[in-house]
Amino acid sequence: MIRVENLVKTYGSTVACNRLNCRFDAKKVTVILGGSGSGKTTLLRQITGLEKPDSGSVFFDDMDLTRASKKDLYKKRKKMGMLFQGSALFNYLNIFENIAFPLREHTRIAENVIKNIVTMKLEMVGLRGNEHLMPSQLSGGMMKRVGLARAIVMDPKVIFYDEPTSGLDPISTGVIGKLIRDLNVKLDITTVVVSHDIASSFKIADKIIILYFGDIIAQGTVDQIKNSTDERVQQFITGSPEGPIPFTRTDTNYVEALLADTDKSMEKMS
Amino acid sequence: MADLTVDHTDTLLFFAFSGRLDAAGIADVWEKAGNGLRQGNGPALAIDLSEVDYFDTAGAAFIAHLDKMALGRNWDKTKITGLDSASTALVERIRKAGPEPSPDTTAPTGRARSFVEKKGRSVADFLYDAHTFIAFLGEIFWAFLSSLAHPGKIRWGETLRVAEQAGANALPIVALISFIVGLVMAFQSAIPMKMFGAEIYVANLVGIAMVRELGPLMTAIVLAGRSASAFAAEIGTMKINEELDALTIMGLEPVRFLILPRVIASTLMTPLLTVFAILVGILGGAVVILSLGHPFVAYYNQVVGFVSWGDFTGGIIKCFVFGILIAATGCIRGYQTSQGPSAVGEAATRAVVSSIVLIAVFDGIFSILYYMLGV
């Protein structure tokens, strides 16, 4: 379904994706795991074509999105749905209008049919009857569910989730996890999830890819990952502060750095 | 609060600290200690801390630093007295962790950026900004041209909404500013012209100035403050909220979907508002002339007889360009919004500043152009 080949993306001197190769199989749930700053959101943005990589390819249905014309890219996008980290609902539209938005912009479906579709999608995420609410009146978990309903309203073939459970309470996390799995099964949607939530990822994933500072350090089924002998993978799964993944990111001496500043201000005085 | 007494003997520089040696305390004695150390001629430093009643990491780092400076001047080992064992250990630890003393601590560390380098960098930044701006402008223009082929795809509803918000609703402020400009200009020029009995020529002055220059310019500047900032804030907020990405994923290009309606609305509304601005400005001048005892007909004939259609057309053509500049600048600055709580405000500010600068530059270009064309 989606194939990433030799993908490279850098921001200044930071390498966010370092020659990544991976594939996302059709109708399966693939979870991209990684700590903050490991490049997982960057990878997602390359796959969806929101950003262009420095080099490498992203094949979507055997079409290279990185070399596709704008028109083709936008055509393919109609087969994609995405749930954003902050839900990205349009604040000036109520729930109904938010979900109906892609339908109204892309199709000429009659208004009463649109109403039916929106009701069905809202039922799927368990929010039927709240059509008139504005996004500002919703809790974080409800916003994610509305965002999810909007993402699937065009019946996409692929759906991307950017940190779907971050900032949610345990029950909402469970609800979203179950929704991801249900939608995948019911609608046969290829699912790509970016997350750092180990517990819910293990519950929903068919395949897991673990990123560490722009490199893929492990990929495989949940069991394969659990039994991985890579110390970094184990540290990430157990969430231990001790291990090969360091806490500090700087290689300069702390006290030295402190005193260097003191020196400078002393010099200024003289 | 902390205090420091400095004492010299032939073989010793003596520092006696008292009070609280914490972050606030060392600030009090910092300068005195530094100067004392620099003026003293050693060959050893002794520090007495027995009068100190509070001592923490900041104090320890300070003491370790003084010690380091003394060593850096090739003095003997510093003698520290009056510290309990825990604090001594703290100083010792910081001293050990610190870098080797350099022979000359007053030598500047790190290269300061030269004037040329700073200027060069800001010019490079400016050129890069101009480059992205022009590229973006081209993208908007291309989107406009290609949607001309499918006019049904332009979001006319949104365009009308923006036209009302950025155009019709701006009418009172544009009218007010233009009226006052016309009035003040007429009044100021009427006084010297009256000395020559030429006050009726105030009509020519106000007419030509409003039509060719001030009408378009005042409208554009008001719109830059009103619409460019609004566009930047709207689009910037959407960007921070990931709504622009959401649109893109839905297969809706933000340039066509959000920016094009704003540019079209602004391009059409700026000339219309300018027509009003010119009219009201000339009426402002009329008030002065009437109060000087001339009939309105005389003023009217004088204006109409002097201002040509060429002047009027020239003024209005400028406005189309101003309209494009205002909307495009606002949208581009909004689109460039970075992350963070102050980003939208910054984008709005940049939008207003950039569009006013561009308006001024293009007004100059048009003046030269019209002069060469003989309009």
Side-chain angles (χ1 to χ4, degrees):
Chain A
M1 185 76 202
I2 302 172
R3 218 165 66 241
V4 172
E5 282 179 4
N6 289 325
L7 193 77
V8 179
K9 178 76 185 178
T10 54
Y11 298 104
S13 60
T14 318
V15 182
C17 294
N18 185 15
R19 299 183 75 79
L20 297 185
N21 285 291
C22 52
R23 47 185 301 143
F24 304 91
D25 297 321
K27 300 175 187 178
K28 292 278 197 294
V29 178
T30 311
V31 178
I32 305 170
L33 274 176
S36 314
S38 60
K40 49 191 196 313
T41 302
T42 308
L43 175 58
L44 196 65
R45 292 179 71 82
Q46 316 295 318
I47 296 172
T48 51
L50 285 174
E51 276 174 30
K52 275 220 180 304
D54 298 347
S55 68
S57 309
V58 175
F59 291 96
F60 186 99
D61 283 345
D62 291 321
M63 190 178 91
D64 188 351
L65 291 187
T66 57
R67 279 164 195 81
S69 70
K70 219 173 184 177
K71 208 174 154 192
D72 288 337
L73 185 59
Y74 273 91
K75 221 188 243 168
K76 285 285 176 212
R77 288 235 178 88
K78 290 181 191 171
K79 295 183 179 176
M80 299 178 185
M82 181 155 172
L83 175 61
F84 287 87
Q85 204 168 347
S87 303
L89 300 178
F90 301 116
N91 284 320
Y92 57 97
L93 300 176
N94 67 22
I95 291 186
F96 179 86
E97 290 164 329
N98 256 295
I99 299 172
F101 186 84
L103 291 173
R104 286 182 175 160
E105 293 300 332
H106 281 305
T107 67
R108 294 179 186 281
I109 299 174
E111 197 58 23
N112 55 342
V113 182
I114 287 186
K115 196 155 182 279
N116 278 343
I117 299 177
V118 172
T119 309
M120 276 163 56
K121 302 294 174 187
L122 269 177
E123 174 69 24
M124 279 187 189
V125 298
L127 287 176
R128 188 167 53 85
N130 295 295
E131 284 87 346
H132 58 281
L133 292 181
M134 297 302 285
S136 54
Q137 295 172 289
L138 303 180
S139 71
M142 283 163 87
M143 273 163 82
K144 292 252 159 135
R145 288 198 265 166
V146 175
L148 187 49
R150 189 181 66 183
I152 56 172
V153 77
M154 292 287 284
D155 295 317
K157 287 169 74 178
V158 187
I159 183 159
F160 300 97
Y161 298 86
D162 189 5
E163 312 237 350
T165 57
S166 71
L168 296 186
D169 64 80
I171 296 172
S172 302
T173 304
V175 169
I176 295 284
K178 188 173 173 313
L179 273 174
I180 293 174
R181 195 73 239 191
D182 283 357
L183 290 173
N184 168 253
V185 174
K186 280 186 201 156
L187 306 176
D188 268 346
I189 288 184
T190 307
T191 305
V192 179
V193 184
V194 157
S195 178
H196 50 231
D197 183 344
I198 300 288
S200 65
S201 301
F202 279 178
K203 266 183 223 159
I204 59 174
D206 292 312
K207 180 184 173 185
I208 286 180
I209 295 171
I210 298 189
L211 282 180
Y212 176 68
F213 287 108
D215 286 310
I216 294 178
I217 55 170
Q219 48 182 325
T221 62
V222 174
D223 286 332
Q224 281 171 338
I225 295 293
K226 275 183 184 164
N227 298 326
S228 166
T229 51
D230 191 318
E231 283 178 32
R232 293 170 298 180
V233 175
Q234 284 305 327
Q235 189 194 348
F236 192 75
I237 294 174
T238 54
S240 159
E242 304 293 330
I245 302 175
F247 167 65
T248 47
R249 289 254 188 100
T250 165
D251 46 349
T252 52
N253 183 296
Y254 175 50
V255 176
E256 204 171 297
L258 279 179
L259 289 180
D261 286 343
T262 337
D263 284 351
K264 272 184 210 140
S265 41
M266 275 285 200
E267 273 153 27
K268 261 187 208 147
M269 267 168 29
S270 57
Chain B
M1 294 301 284
D3 220 348
L4 166 65
T5 327
V6 182
D7 233 348
H8 295 272
T9 67
D10 287 344
T11 55
L12 213 60
L13 177 65
F14 185 70
F15 283 177
F17 289 98
S18 62
R20 290 173 64 86
L21 268 192
D22 52 9
I26 64 172
D28 297 334
V29 293
W30 188 278
E31 199 163 352
K32 198 172 176 189
N35 288 338
L37 200 60
R38 227 165 274 116
Q39 286 154 10
N41 31 20
L45 174 67
I47 299 174
D48 178 23
L49 298 163
S50 50
E51 292 299 309
V52 170
D53 32 69
Y54 179 84
F55 187 77
D56 65 6
T57 327
F62 179 56
I63 298 300
H65 181 74
L66 290 179
D67 172 41
K68 205 184 79 179
M69 280 181 78
L71 281 179
R73 306 188 65 180
N74 291 324
W75 290 5
D76 297 340
K77 191 177 177 346
T78 305
K79 234 178 87 190
I80 300 170
T81 51
L83 266 189
D84 59 38
S85 57
S87 305
T88 313
L90 186 63
V91 173
E92 213 39 54
R93 226 166 61 220
I94 289 180
R95 187 165 27 200
K96 273 200 189 112
E100 290 295 305
S102 54
D104 182 10
T105 49
T106 51
T109 51
R111 194 170 53 94
R113 277 213 239 157
S114 71
F115 175 78
V116 176
E117 191 180 345
K118 275 185 205 157
K119 286 294 154 204
R121 200 172 287 270
S122 63
V123 168
D125 286 345
F126 173 77
L127 287 180
Y128 179 74
D129 186 46
H131 170 84
T132 48
F133 194 90
I134 291 168
F136 214 130
L137 212 56
E139 200 176 331
I140 295 172
F141 195 62
W142 174 245
F144 177 68
L145 284 184
S146 58
S147 48
L148 279 184
H150 309 278
K153 278 195 175 171
I154 297 176
R155 297 176 74 222
W156 293 111
E158 171 87 351
T159 310
L160 283 177
R161 189 187 67 79
V162 176
E164 187 194 344
Q165 250 176 27
N169 294 351
L171 191 55
I173 176 80
V174 168
L176 178 72
I177 300 275
S178 308
F179 185 79
I180 290 172
V181 166
L183 188 93
V184 169
M185 197 166 44
F187 188 69
Q188 293 295 349
S189 52
I191 298 165
M193 278 189 174
K194 201 172 177 186
M195 295 197 291
F196 303 100
E199 65 258 39
I200 192 62
Y201 290 106
V202 167
N204 301 24
L205 179 99
V206 173
I208 204 80
M210 284 312 292
V211 168
R212 285 190 73 124
E213 208 48 59
L214 286 175
L217 203 59
M218 284 298 144
T219 313
I221 288 177
V222 169
L223 287 187
R226 215 178 159 274
S227 311
S229 57
F231 293 166
E234 264 179 300
I235 293 180
T237 312
M238 291 186 81
K239 164 130 188 206
I240 286 190
N241 200 17
E242 294 179 301
E243 286 173 47
L244 294 184
D245 288 340
L247 281 174
T248 312
I249 291 284
M250 284 177 200
L252 301 163
E253 231 180 308
V255 171
R256 277 166 209 277
F257 198 82
L258 291 172
I259 297 182
L260 205 53
R262 285 171 172 74
V263 173
I264 293 176
S266 165
T267 311
L268 295 179
M269 292 315 283
T270 311
L272 280 180
L273 281 171
T274 304
V275 173
F276 275 100
I278 291 170
L279 194 70
V280 175
I282 290 175
L283 283 179
V287 172
V288 174
I289 293 296
L290 288 179
S291 68
L292 291 177
H294 294 274
F296 184 74
V297 178
Y299 180 78
Y300 174 80
N301 284 335
Q302 195 69 26
V303 170
V304 172
F306 188 69
V307 178
S308 69
W309 278 108
D311 296 327
F312 182 73
T313 329
I316 295 300
I317 286 175
K318 264 204 293 209
C319 290
F320 282 100
V321 176
F322 288 165
I324 296 173
L325 287 176
I326 291 164
T329 314
C331 293
I332 292 171
R333 291 307 186 208
Y335 208 86
Q336 291 171 335
T337 304
S338 50
Q339 294 296 322
S342 61
V344 174
E346 256 163 48
T349 311
R350 272 157 54 89
V352 175
V353 173
S354 311
S355 50
I356 288 180
V357 168
L358 281 174
I359 288 167
V361 169
F362 272 79
D363 196 47
I365 293 175
F366 270 109
S367 300
I368 296 168
L369 203 67
Y370 287 161
Y371 175 74
M372 289 169 89
L373 291 173
V375 181

